[in-house]
Amino acid sequence: MQLHQLRYFVAVAEVRHFTQAADLVGITQPSLSKQIHALETDLGAPLFERVRGNITLTAAGEVLLPLATRILADVETATREVQELVGLRRGRVRLGATPSLATSLAPPVLRRFRDAHPTVDLRVEEGGSQDLVRDLLRGDLDLALIIMPAQGADPGLRVDPILRESLVVASVHEVPTASATGELHITDLRDQPMVMFREGYDLRDATIQACREAGFEPTFAVDGGEMDAVLSFVEAGLGIALVPGIVLARRPGVRITPLAPPGVRRTIAVARRKDVVPTHAGRELRRILLDYIQSAIDRDDLPPGVDPR
C-alpha cells in the first residue's frame, strides 16, 4: 500500500468519478484506475462499486476511507513539522472558531500572533461547534475555539475549558413577561416567536434544551439561520433569540435582556486532535491565546457576559 494510492482512493471517494479524481490529483484516468486496482489487489477486496456509471464505496471502502483520510492528514502534519524545523517554508496554523468567538476573542489573539510571527500563514474557519469538531477530527484544523457539548467532548480530542459565557435574550422590543428587575426566566419565553439557528449550531441545541427543561417546546418564527442572519431577523422584528451577549456589542438596534439565575451558561474551550502532535505554529497560537485570556482576567477586561471558568 502506497501513500499516493491512498490519495487517489480518497480523491475518487470524494468526487465519485474516476476522470474528475484523476484531474484533481494531476494524473491520467488510466493511471489512476491502475493504481486503485493495485490497491484493491493488495487489500484483497474491491473498494468501489461501478454500476451504470455510478461510483459508490463498498463495505471495504467505507472502512478504509476514514483511516486513509487520517493517515494522509498525519503525513501532512509530519511533513509540515519537519519543514518548519529546517526552514524550508513558512509555518501554517488553521484555527476554527464559532461565530461569536470569531468576532470577539479571535481577533485580538490573532493580532498578537501576527505581530510575533508575521511569516506564518494564518487560516481561519468559522462554524458551529459540531462542524468544527468534525473538521478537527478530519485533520482540516489544527486548533478550534468551541463550546463544550453537554454530553462531553469527543474522545478523539483534547479539550481544555478556558472561559464561561452567559446567553441573553435578543429582541427589538421589551419582552412583555420581563420581571421588574428587567430579567427573564426561560419559562417567560413560552409562546414567544423565536428566530432559530440552523442545524449544527450549538446555540440551537442550547436553546431547545433550555426550553424543554422548562417544560415547553420553543415556537419558531424563522428556522435555519447563521449568526448574522439570525441577528438581522431579530432586528427586523421577526422574533427573539438566545445569543451570547458579546455578539450584540455592535447591534445598537437590538435590546439585551439578561436571563434570571441560573440562566443558560456555556463553557468555551480550546480543542485539538489528541492523537496528532501539534505543530510549532499551533502550539504558539495556543500559548498566545491562553496568555491573552489570563491577562484579560487579571485586568478584569473580559467581554460582557464572559467569566473565568
Side-chain angles (χ1 to χ4, degrees):
M1 184 186 303
Q2 304 292 322
L3 284 175
H4 67 273
Q5 292 174 335
L6 293 181
R7 291 192 182 93
Y8 301 163
F9 162 71
V10 171
V12 175
E14 287 179 348
V15 300
R16 304 300 171 100
H17 195 283
F18 274 74
T19 301
Q20 292 178 11
D23 291 339
L24 189 65
V25 297
I27 64 172
T28 64
Q29 187 271 326
S31 295
L32 181 138
S33 296
K34 181 179 179 180
Q35 291 299 322
I36 293 294
H37 178 70
L39 179 60
E40 291 174 326
T41 299
D42 288 342
L43 293 173
L47 299 174
F48 297 103
E49 294 278 2
R50 305 164 179 84
V51 180
R52 297 178 182 177
N54 294 322
I55 305 296
T56 60
L57 288 169
T58 63
E62 294 283 1
V63 170
L64 179 61
L65 182 58
L67 298 174
T69 301
R70 178 166 293 185
I71 289 170
L72 294 174
D74 289 346
V75 169
E76 181 185 355
T77 298
T79 302
R80 187 170 66 250
E81 185 79 0
V82 172
Q83 288 177 337
E84 287 177 5
L85 283 173
V86 299
L88 293 179
R89 70 177 213 185
R90 300 183 308 171
R92 181 186 72 176
V93 61
R94 301 163 298 177
L95 174 69
T98 64
S100 59
L101 298 175
T103 58
S104 58
L105 182 57
V109 170
L110 295 180
R111 177 71 267 173
R112 289 189 176 196
F113 184 87
R114 172 62 67 200
D115 289 343
H117 306 282
T119 62
V120 173
D121 182 16
L122 275 174
R123 302 186 185 181
V124 178
E125 179 73 25
E126 183 179 337
S129 290
Q130 296 174 32
D131 298 331
L132 297 177
V133 166
R134 178 202 63 208
D135 290 343
L136 279 171
L137 293 172
R138 290 196 315 196
D140 294 336
L141 293 173
D142 300 305
L143 207 64
L145 291 167
I146 65 171
I147 302 301
M148 285 279 288
Q151 68 272 21
D154 188 287
L157 298 178
R158 173 179 170 177
V159 179
D160 299 310
I162 53 176
L163 292 168
R164 295 273 287 171
E165 69 175 1
S166 299
L167 300 187
V168 300
V169 178
S171 63
V172 173
H173 306 293
E174 180 179 0
V175 179
T177 49
S179 67
T181 60
E183 295 178 329
L184 287 165
H185 291 86
I186 289 295
T187 51
D188 295 327
L189 306 184
R190 186 190 303 269
D191 299 325
Q192 290 289 334
M194 288 189 176
V195 179
M196 186 52 62
F197 294 90
R198 66 164 173 82
E199 296 281 354
Y201 259 59
D202 53 277
L203 280 168
R204 179 190 183 93
D205 295 340
T207 301
I208 294 175
Q209 180 181 349
C211 293
R212 287 177 176 170
E213 288 177 354
F216 68 95
E217 290 290 325
T219 301
F220 295 171
V222 181
D223 185 7
E226 303 274 351
M227 178 63 75
D228 282 343
V230 165
L231 295 179
S232 295
F233 295 153
V234 170
E235 286 177 321
L238 290 171
I240 65 172
L242 280 183
V243 299
I246 54 178
V247 304
L248 300 176
R250 297 184 180 88
R251 298 276 181 167
V254 176
R255 186 184 187 91
I256 301 173
T257 306
L259 289 170
V264 180
R265 292 173 59 78
R266 311 187 305 168
T267 299
I268 300 170
V270 57
R272 67 169 176 84
R273 248 177 67 180
K274 189 183 295 183
D275 62 341
V276 174
V277 177
T279 65
H280 291 304
R283 289 196 296 270
E284 179 65 1
L285 178 58
R286 184 179 183 276
R287 183 192 68 78
I288 289 175
L289 166 68
L290 297 181
D291 285 352
Y292 172 80
I293 290 173
Q294 188 57 55
S295 64
I297 292 172
D298 295 341
R299 299 191 315 269
D300 193 23
D301 192 30
L302 290 171
V306 176
D307 303 298
R309 65 176 178 89

